[in-house]
Amino acid sequence: MRWVIGNWKQNKLRFEARELAEAVAQGRASAVGAAEDRVRVGIAPTFLCLDLAVPFAPPGDALWLFAQNVGAQDFGAFTGEIGPTMLLDAGVNGAIIGHSERREHFWETDEDIERKLRCALAAGLQVVLCIGEPLEIREAEQHETFVISQLSTAFFNIPPEHITERLVLAYEPIWAIGTGKTATPAEASAMHHAIRTWMGETFGANGRDRSILYGGSVKPANAAALLAAPDIDGFLVGGASLDAASFLDIVRTAAGG
Ligand code: PGA
């Protein structure tokens, strides 16, 4: 399954978010065209704007709605947190977990991410789990070891029966996020292959078959070349998802048209 998911990050006031969600919802069907059963499109507005997008993401897979983060527990004395069951209750389909900005600016550790992943999958939330290495690790040619170690911690306690379609992975090299510097198709593809191999060795066919998205300065101009490389199943898009036309262009490319 191909996915194109727009991560809006900390952008858009409510009226802007409503307009963007509506424009994406309206343009989605024609951008996806005949690839309706092969391409899923998602948006991830801020928590405060999720409710505005719910009417544009009715049940039935047309547009998927994601939170950018989720708590590591469903309920309780955890001031400021929002749990997976609360998201589902609000009409949200899923959550991004472990984005590098959460790791870097909010000190989320691999262990925090493991707890979030476990709780979200157990609650039945769709999950996009992000992994990716910083520049110095890439330069030291330790990137595969680094990403596989992120995966081994994240999946340490996940029951194999929770490795289903509900889980999507996103490889986002930190040096490519918001920098205009994209991994080459060959670099991204090699890492995706390593991730798929590890998932297959760890969880068998269910692990191997998961969609692995690429993220980091994806634009309409570089989407086709990345998608042509083996093991790249779509995109997590930041900057280019803030404009409906450029986001839908990327969706059109993912749909093959
Ligand atoms: P970018 O962000 O497309 O702006 O590089 C990607 C992401 O952080 O998900």
Side-chain angles (χ1 to χ4, degrees):
M1 179 64 69
R2 277 192 176 169
W3 286 87
V4 182
I5 300 172
N7 174 12
W8 297 0
K9 308 191 179 183
Q10 193 185 344
N11 292 296
K12 306 288 178 190
L13 296 174
R14 280 170 64 82
F15 77 96
E16 298 166 317
R18 187 198 312 268
E19 276 172 20
L20 182 54
E22 187 172 14
V24 170
Q26 279 176 355
R28 190 205 61 88
S30 86
V32 168
E36 193 70 58
D37 56 343
R38 290 184 290 113
V39 177
R40 289 183 176 163
V41 180
I43 54 172
T46 63
F47 280 118
L48 277 180
C49 294
L50 283 168
D51 68 317
L52 296 170
V54 167
F56 302 115
D61 293 3
L63 180 64
W64 291 64
L65 196 51
F66 289 85
Q68 298 171 15
N69 183 22
V70 64
Q73 53 288 312
D74 247 338
F75 300 96
F78 301 101
T79 303
E81 292 293 277
I82 295 171
T85 298
M86 292 171 172
L87 289 177
L88 289 168
D89 182 50
V92 177
N93 307 102
I96 298 171
I97 294 180
H99 191 280
S100 63
E101 286 153 16
R102 302 287 327 158
R103 297 177 190 255
E104 185 184 344
H105 304 305
F106 305 97
W107 309 287
E108 283 189 14
T109 63
D110 284 333
E111 289 73 19
D112 294 328
I113 288 154
E114 187 275 333
R115 289 187 304 121
K116 291 184 176 195
L117 183 65
R118 187 153 34 95
C119 185
L121 290 175
L125 203 63
Q126 184 75 35
V127 166
V128 180
L129 174 70
C130 300
I131 59 251
E133 81 285 357
L135 184 60
E136 62 275 17
I137 297 286
R138 166 71 56 169
E139 285 174 345
E141 294 183 12
Q142 292 300 311
H143 43 286
E144 281 195 18
T145 316
F146 183 90
V147 166
I148 298 305
S149 137
Q150 287 182 321
L151 287 174
S152 357
T153 313
F155 286 101
F156 184 67
N157 249 324
I158 307 294
E161 62 271 23
H162 286 169
I163 306 298
T164 68
E165 265 220 325
R166 288 202 191 288
L167 171 72
V168 171
L169 300 164
Y171 169 58
E172 300 203 301
I174 298 173
W175 45 273
I177 296 179
T179 57
K181 200 173 163 189
T182 324
T184 64
E187 285 169 336
S189 182
M191 183 63 91
H192 284 221
H193 179 72
I195 294 169
R196 194 177 304 291
T197 302
W198 186 87
M199 289 295 291
E201 283 166 4
T202 311
F203 294 112
N206 278 354
R208 201 172 44 243
D209 292 348
R210 302 290 42 90
S211 298
I212 307 175
L213 317 186
Y214 169 78
S217 297
V218 174
K219 308 263 177 298
N222 58 23
L226 285 160
L227 277 174
D231 286 313
I232 300 182
D233 302 316
F235 302 120
L236 185 55
V237 186
S241 74
L242 296 175
D243 172 71
S246 70
F247 182 64
L248 290 169
D249 263 358
I250 297 170
V251 173
R252 204 167 289 114
T253 303

